[in-house]
Amino acid sequence: MKTEDLITALSRDARRTGPSVHGRLAMAVALGIASAFAMLVAGLGIRPDLTAASRNMLFDLKMLLVVTLAVAAIALVRASARPEAGLPKIVLLVPGLVLMFGIGHEIATQLPAALPGRLFARNWAFCLVAIPLLGALPLAAILTAMTAAAPRNAALAGALSGFAAGAIAAVAYGLHCSDDSPLFVAAWYSIAIAMLTAAGAVIGRRVLAW
Amino acid sequence: MRAGLAGDEGAYRRLLRELTPFLRTLARSGLARAGRPTAEAEDIVQDVLIAIHTRRSSWIASEPLVPWIRAILKHKLIDFLRRRGTTGHIDIDTFAEVIAAPAEEPGIATRDVVKLAESLPSGQKAVIHAMFVDGHNTQETASALQMSEGAVRVSLHRGLASLAKMLRGSI
């Protein structure tokens, strides 16, 4: 086939395209946040002591961590959608510092014997189920938006989609979960988000290749 | 490109046409560096044109176009070489001192996209045939096949997407 004919055929398919991939991602993230919060309110329930908890430094630290993590993850997904853009890994610095501060604070203020109890708390197994469930719809929405993208590495772009979905789910779950210890968050939230990240990588490898 | 994204067929065709020699030059030098015959460049050029078309919403209109195009080409070139079992690092950023493309350029790929389209579902095949071979536009195709214009566009889009997939597989 002649290249000239291909160009003619492709240009006949010229039409107003929808929003750019960043626009689609913004819609997917909004949809994902809405679905995660709808499931939080309808299914899990927001913790009843929210007002009291918001005066608790460890709760505030937990929410600061998951919100900055979600913002960082969304920035990374946005960058991975474009073939010419590098990943702004620096955005992970803020949640990383918050997490390290939290763990340091915990070790400095708690008796060593109390640490395992704070790590496992009561709800670790529930956390590992709830965050992936809350993140499933956000992951589907973000991956759908990403099918218009041209990522350099499909598996990585899928993994980052799962990471962003997991961080969004963690924000919602954080408003339900009454375990505020940074040790608990560092261990179980991370594993739950990693599960979504792995799922995103596996799916992304298949659906985001171009 | 902006006009093309807004649906201006003429501007879009001009853009693709003007990009082609640039793509060809980059594809040739990439192949030469990998020790592959430069005759395969046209296959890559066509892959890249299809990718530019199907992935055009991943270009952000406020960003420069050329880095995006180069990144698409680099991706397709690496993909092509990997499928042919060529390994080695391709540094497209050093392509500045590139071999000039010869003026007489046949512009014919070694694979025939129309032939590949034979294996598409009948609706997509008919649309691709009407538009690529008979040279109809979407309206004419729609009335010839008694489909709505929207359905033609959907078939074309799906057909192009599976063709792109087949091209990757056929290499």
Side-chain angles (χ1 to χ4, degrees), chain A residues 79-162:
Chain A
S80 78
R82 295 169 48 201
E84 81 278 29
L87 292 180
K89 298 188 196 88
I90 187 85
V91 293
L92 291 171
L93 193 65
V94 178
L97 288 175
V98 173
L99 182 62
M100 284 196 299
F101 172 78
I103 294 175
H105 181 271
E106 193 81 340
I107 291 172
T109 55
Q110 301 292 326
L111 292 171
L115 293 179
R118 294 180 67 84
L119 169 62
F120 287 96
R122 295 173 298 274
N123 297 320
W124 64 270
F126 185 69
C127 168
L128 290 185
V129 177
I131 290 181
L133 280 180
L134 288 171
L137 280 174
L139 176 59
I142 292 170
L143 282 174
T144 306
M146 285 291 283
T147 56
R152 276 189 218 168
N153 180 332
L156 176 64
L160 290 171
S161 304

Side-chain angles (χ1 to χ4, degrees), chain B residues 98-145:
Chain B
V98 142
I99 320 135
E104 75 298 313
E105 181 47 66
I108 299 172
T110 55
R111 300 155 311 185
D112 197 326
V113 174
V114 174
K115 219 171 265 169
L116 274 179
E118 290 300 310
S119 54
L120 290 175
S122 60
Q124 293 171 17
K125 188 169 69 185
V127 168
I128 297 260
H129 200 271
M131 299 187 70
F132 280 53
V133 182
D134 304 337
H136 293 319
N137 62 23
T138 26
Q139 281 167 352
E140 293 159 0
T141 306
S143 58
L145 300 176

Side-chain angles (χ1 to χ4, degrees), chain A residues 1-22 24 81-85 146-153 207-210, chain B residues 5-7 9 12-13 16-17 20 42 46 49 53 55-58 60 63 67-68 71 75-76 107-109 111-113 131-132 135-137 153 156-157 160 168:
Chain A
M1 170 179 214
K2 285 191 147 198
T3 301
E4 183 60 30
D5 295 343
L6 177 68
I7 290 173
T8 307
L10 293 178
S11 56
R12 288 218 185 84
D13 186 39
R15 60 177 181 276
R16 179 171 285 282
T17 47
S20 76
V21 72
H22 279 180
R24 287 168 209 241
R82 295 169 48 201
E84 81 278 29
M146 285 291 283
T147 56
R152 276 189 218 168
N153 180 332
V207 302
L208 300 183
W210 55 286
Chain B
L5 289 178
E9 184 181 328
Y12 191 53
R13 179 183 295 124
L16 294 181
R17 203 174 271 155
T20 302
E42 211 56 27
Q46 295 191 0
L49 286 169
H53 182 69
R55 302 280 148 175
R56 61 197 189 280
S57 58
S58 76
I60 308 301
E63 298 288 330
W68 180 78
H75 184 84
K76 284 295 174 190
I108 299 172
R111 300 155 311 185
D112 197 326
V113 174
M131 299 187 70
F132 280 53
H136 293 319
N137 62 23
R153 293 209 154 122
L156 178 62
H157 186 76
L160 285 175
R168 290 159 37 113

Side-chain angles (χ1 to χ4, degrees), chain B residues 10-30:
Chain B
Y12 191 53
R13 179 183 295 124
R14 272 198 306 285
L15 169 84
L16 294 181
R17 203 174 271 155
E18 282 164 18
L19 277 175
T20 302
F22 171 65
L23 298 177
R24 203 171 274 144
T25 308
L26 290 180
R28 280 169 175 276
S29 73

Side-chain angles (χ1 to χ4, degrees), chain B residues 3-4 30-31 33 37 44 47 53 56 78 88 95 102 113 116 125 164:
Chain B
L31 287 168
R33 272 160 189 271
I44 297 174
D47 270 0
H53 182 69
R56 61 197 189 280
I78 290 172
F95 279 8
V113 174
L116 274 179
K125 188 169 69 185

